[in-house]
Amino acid sequence: MSCNSNQNTPTPNPEEEKPSSYNILGKHRRDILLGIGGLYGASALSNTNPLAMAAAPILEPDLEHCCITDDVPPKGVIEAQVYCCPPKSSSPPIDFKLPKGTPLRVRPPAQFVTDEYLEKYKLALKRMRELPSDDPRSFKQQADIHCAYCDGGYKQLGFPVELDFKVHFSWIFFPFHRWYLYFYERILGSLIDDPTFALPYWNWDNPDGGMVLPSIFADEDSPLYDPRRNPDITPTTLVDLNYGSGKEPSVEQNLGVMYTSVVSGAKRASLFHGKPFLAGKQPELGGGTVELGPHTAVHRWTGDPRQPNKEDMGRFYSAGRDPAFYSHHANVDRMWNIWKTIPSGKRRDFKNRDWLETSFFFYDENKTLVRVKVKDSLDTNKMGYVYQDVAIPWLEKKPKPKRTRKAKKVAFAQQFGGIGAAMAAETGPSSKFPLTLLDSKVTLLVKRPKQLRSKRDKEEEEEVLVIDGIEFDGDDDVKFDVYITDEDVEDIGPESTEFAGSFSTLGHSHSNMNMDKKIKTSLTLGITDLLEDLDAENDDSVLVTLVPRSENVTITIQNIKIEFEKDE
């Protein structure tokens, strides 16, 4: 991957030398340090070698040196190099302040929008599409925002390990996308002179008309239509929130995915949001339950299998080219609001200053380049929008065990010829690390560090299953499912308690300067409720089964363990 120092060059030279900003101690050192902000501002670091910084908010994107995103399809080339950097601003960015006294915008569910609303939305998007391609408000530039931030356009430079600006697989997934939609929505409203205009959300978690592609996106004569979309999907096709499992989708499975992703498996901020991404430190990346579950499933389900990489929705660099993307992410954003209202568990956002001070750049509806921070995105009411209320049936749709505990013990003893389960798992080849997932499932016993936990223990600490050191080729779509206490999983889906969750990603290059396209990340799932429901909370160990769902994709795993997690 090479970087371009001139944002207005449409076809950058891949052989161009790295600009001087690659040396954080050189010409641009002060500018980069200023991006750290807060307690970590330039005054605090003026005499500090940033190579030694243990942690700080990630550095702001360096807009002067945005990179070509190197997205070379493994099945053929559509766009060997994708240049999706923003146009150059004639003025430095200003710190954005949320406006006060503006009309409240109410985002409606897409299945219930009125004809009058739809006509306004179509007109707004038509005008956005008609803007010159170098206008930062244009549909092309809005789509490119996702490409630049999510597919390696910005780098964290000058540290021992050079890192991409990782919006995915980290705790900035939700706040970045919230700000992204915020300005997209404001631009649309300004183009039709309607400050009350709000994006519709794709209500894919609701079987009452929401678990299908919204009909507003299916009209081929509408500006809301995208031709690079799965042709088998119609407004009557049931969405598959467990896409790639090989199982026929059902409403019951979809409701189970939602319950596990938002309720039982995500009681702590780190489980819901994902793991920290800090400056000066190699991150232990890991996405949250919604990102790796229904969010990715809808992307992959909607992407066009006729394209080399299931563009548009099926690839990070192209997803923003489909208008359905913005309604999809509006519903993802809505999950953040819902998560914080669920009474069980300590569902609070991070209080960590490094997260709160993380900043992004966007162009607003006036073409002004602005700087925004995570800390100003925590309350949608303060941001001037809310979601229209609809039923949320999955909140009460708790999965149930597929088999009784006795039946599982009998089946497991038979599976290993009557010998003890612990001995069988510990002596089997599948318990040796690193594990390789390819064509067949892997089952092993995982030791629990503590049993006989009191009610207070469970309230203070969530028991979590950690699948560490997940590594795979970044070009591949990857998925595997995780089951607890049951090795015979062929007839078990998300509607059953034994299903603990999924790891699912879109293919994306995210390569570093030596073209290493390997992704290294982790998966962490809350299992306190699951073990209670399976009558396994007093066991010394739990049986964990991983089932690969990707064809001809090799996944390696360095470790599987159980830990206890508190809020920061």
Side-chain angles (χ1 to χ4, degrees):
M1 178 178 295
S2 41
C3 281
N4 173 41
S5 61
N6 182 351
Q7 293 180 310
N8 298 314
T9 303
T11 55
N13 180 4
E15 302 303 321
E16 188 174 52
E17 286 187 6
K18 299 174 186 177
S20 59
S21 67
Y22 269 81
N23 179 3
I24 198 170
L25 299 179
K27 179 179 178 182
H28 297 280
R29 178 179 185 272
R30 176 175 170 79
D31 293 337
I32 294 175
L33 292 180
L34 284 172
I36 296 176
L39 295 177
Y40 306 96
S43 62
L45 290 172
S46 58
N47 297 313
T48 301
N49 182 350
L51 300 181
M53 284 197 306
I58 56 172
L59 302 181
E60 293 175 336
D62 183 356
L63 299 183
E64 288 292 327
H65 302 96
C66 181
C67 294
I68 305 166
T69 61
D70 179 40
D71 210 312
V72 182
K75 302 175 186 175
V77 176
I78 293 180
E79 300 166 55
Q81 291 180 318
V82 183
Y83 185 69
C84 51
C85 298
K88 187 170 183 176
S89 173
S90 59
S91 303
I94 64 172
D95 290 325
F96 181 75
K97 296 188 182 301
L98 290 169
K100 297 180 180 180
T102 57
L104 188 67
R105 302 187 302 280
V106 181
R107 293 181 178 176
Q111 72 269 34
F112 297 139
V113 299
T114 65
D115 290 342
E116 179 184 5
Y117 170 89
L118 179 56
E119 289 307 310
K120 283 204 289 188
Y121 186 19
K122 289 163 65 175
L123 177 61
L125 194 55
K126 176 177 179 291
R127 290 179 176 175
M128 180 181 274
R129 288 184 181 276
E130 290 171 346
L131 291 171
S133 62
D134 61 351
D135 188 320
R137 303 168 302 161
S138 70
F139 188 71
K140 177 189 182 302
Q141 292 293 339
Q142 291 298 301
D144 281 352
I145 290 171
H146 196 258
C147 171
Y149 273 97
C150 302
D151 214 4
Y154 301 117
K155 302 295 179 186
Q156 298 286 289
L157 305 174
F159 297 110
V161 178
E162 187 171 293
L163 304 171
D164 291 337
F165 192 102
K166 297 185 190 308
V167 167
H168 291 271
F169 300 125
S170 80
W171 64 359
I172 60 173
F173 170 79
F174 275 98
F176 165 78
H177 286 90
R178 174 167 285 183
W179 276 121
Y180 182 15
L181 296 189
Y182 176 84
F183 289 107
Y184 179 78
E185 180 176 75
R186 283 169 60 104
I187 292 169
L188 287 172
S190 71
L191 292 173
I192 55 173
D193 195 25
D194 182 359
T196 68
F197 177 80
L199 278 172
Y201 63 93
W202 181 355
N203 191 201
W204 33 253
D205 59 302
N206 187 355
D208 183 14
M211 282 187 182
V212 294
L213 177 73
S215 60
I216 64 174
F217 297 113
D219 178 2
E220 295 185 17
D221 296 323
S222 167
L224 278 61
Y225 181 74
D226 180 21
R228 297 208 298 187
R229 201 183 282 154
N230 190 337
D232 295 330
I233 292 175
T234 72
T236 61
T237 308
L238 183 69
V239 71
D240 188 353
L241 298 185
N242 191 32
Y243 182 80
S245 67
K247 301 177 185 294
E248 280 294 316
S250 69
V251 170
E252 292 300 308
Q253 285 191 45
N254 287 342
L255 296 177
V257 166
M258 294 309 304
Y259 188 92
T260 301
S261 299
V262 186
V263 184
S264 62
K267 289 184 178 180
R268 293 293 189 272
S270 59
L271 300 174
F272 180 78
H273 282 286
K275 290 192 174 182
F277 180 26
L278 303 167
K281 182 179 180 181
Q282 174 69 53
E284 298 176 2
L285 292 175
T289 49
V290 170
E291 179 190 350
L292 299 179
H295 156 261
T296 299
V298 173
H299 268 282
R300 294 183 61 192
W301 182 78
T302 312
D304 188 349
R306 300 168 298 181
Q307 306 302 324
N309 292 296
K310 295 186 178 180
E311 289 89 351
D312 283 331
M313 278 280 278
R315 195 82 173 186
F316 282 157
Y317 82 88
S318 57
R321 300 174 185 177
D322 187 340
F325 164 85
Y326 303 92
S327 289
H328 166 46
H329 266 277
N331 204 43
V332 172
D333 178 68
R334 174 173 162 262
M335 293 303 122
W336 187 1
N337 282 1
I338 294 172
W339 175 75
K340 287 195 282 191
T341 66
I342 298 172
S344 62
K346 294 190 174 181
R347 301 171 191 273
R348 297 188 296 264
D349 289 325
F350 295 107
K351 296 180 180 180
N352 188 308
R353 187 177 180 84
D354 296 333
W355 182 67
L356 295 170
E357 293 293 331
T358 295
S359 56
F360 317 106
F361 292 121
F362 294 96
Y363 281 95
D364 70 6
E365 67 273 21
N366 299 313
K367 298 195 285 187
T368 301
L369 182 63
V370 298
R371 175 190 290 108
V372 297
K373 293 192 174 184
V374 168
K375 66 183 179 183
D376 295 318
S377 69
L378 308 184
D379 187 336
T380 62
N381 280 277
K382 291 181 179 178
M383 296 179 77
Y385 74 91
V386 294
Y387 289 96
Q388 181 180 325
D389 287 338
V390 294
I392 312 176
W394 49 267
L395 282 176
E396 306 299 329
K397 195 66 176 178
K398 190 175 187 178
K400 298 180 179 179
K402 185 71 175 180
R403 295 192 294 175
T404 66
R405 182 173 175 83
K406 181 178 179 180
K408 291 174 188 177
K409 285 185 173 181
V410 170
F412 194 72
Q414 292 173 343
Q415 175 76 15
F416 291 102
I419 64 175
M423 182 182 296
E426 289 173 357
T427 58
S430 66
S431 63
K432 297 178 181 178
F433 290 101
L435 298 178
T436 298
L437 282 180
L438 182 57
D439 298 319
S440 57
K441 66 186 179 184
V442 171
T443 298
L444 70 161
L445 276 179
V446 180
K447 183 80 173 173
R448 295 177 66 209
K450 181 168 61 176
Q451 302 86 42
L452 301 174
R453 300 176 68 214
S454 68
K455 181 179 179 180
R456 182 174 180 179
D457 289 339
K458 296 174 185 177
E459 290 174 351
E460 293 297 321
E461 294 182 318
E462 175 71 8
E463 188 163 1
V464 298
L465 177 70
V466 181
I467 302 175
D468 229 347
I470 303 170
E471 187 171 342
F472 52 90
D473 192 310
D475 280 329
D476 292 327
D477 289 343
V478 174
K479 178 178 171 67
F480 62 84
D481 293 332
V482 183
Y483 300 85
I484 299 289
T485 79
D486 208 316
E487 195 264 348
D488 184 13
V489 297
E490 295 307 315
D491 60 343
I492 297 177
E495 72 279 8
S496 299
T497 309
E498 292 88 345
F499 179 89
S502 294
F503 178 90
S504 183
T505 72
L506 300 182
H508 60 299
S509 288
H510 259 303
S511 52
N512 60 27
M513 297 304 295
N514 63 13
M515 301 304 293
D516 178 10
K517 294 187 178 182
K518 289 292 185 182
I519 301 293
K520 297 180 181 179
T521 183
S522 63
L523 173 65
T524 306
L525 303 170
I527 59 173
T528 296
D529 286 1
L530 180 151
L531 293 177
E532 282 187 8
D533 295 342
L534 294 175
D535 193 24
E537 57 183 325
N538 295 327
D539 291 357
D540 293 337
S541 304
V542 296
L543 193 69
V544 176
T545 299
L546 309 182
V547 181
R549 302 297 189 185
S550 309
E551 293 184 7
N552 302 317
V553 173
T554 300
I555 307 166
T556 59
I557 294 171
Q558 296 300 322
N559 192 24
I560 301 178
K561 57 188 175 183
I562 291 175
E563 297 179 340
F564 296 98
E565 192 156 314
K566 292 183 178 181
D567 283 329
E568 292 191 21

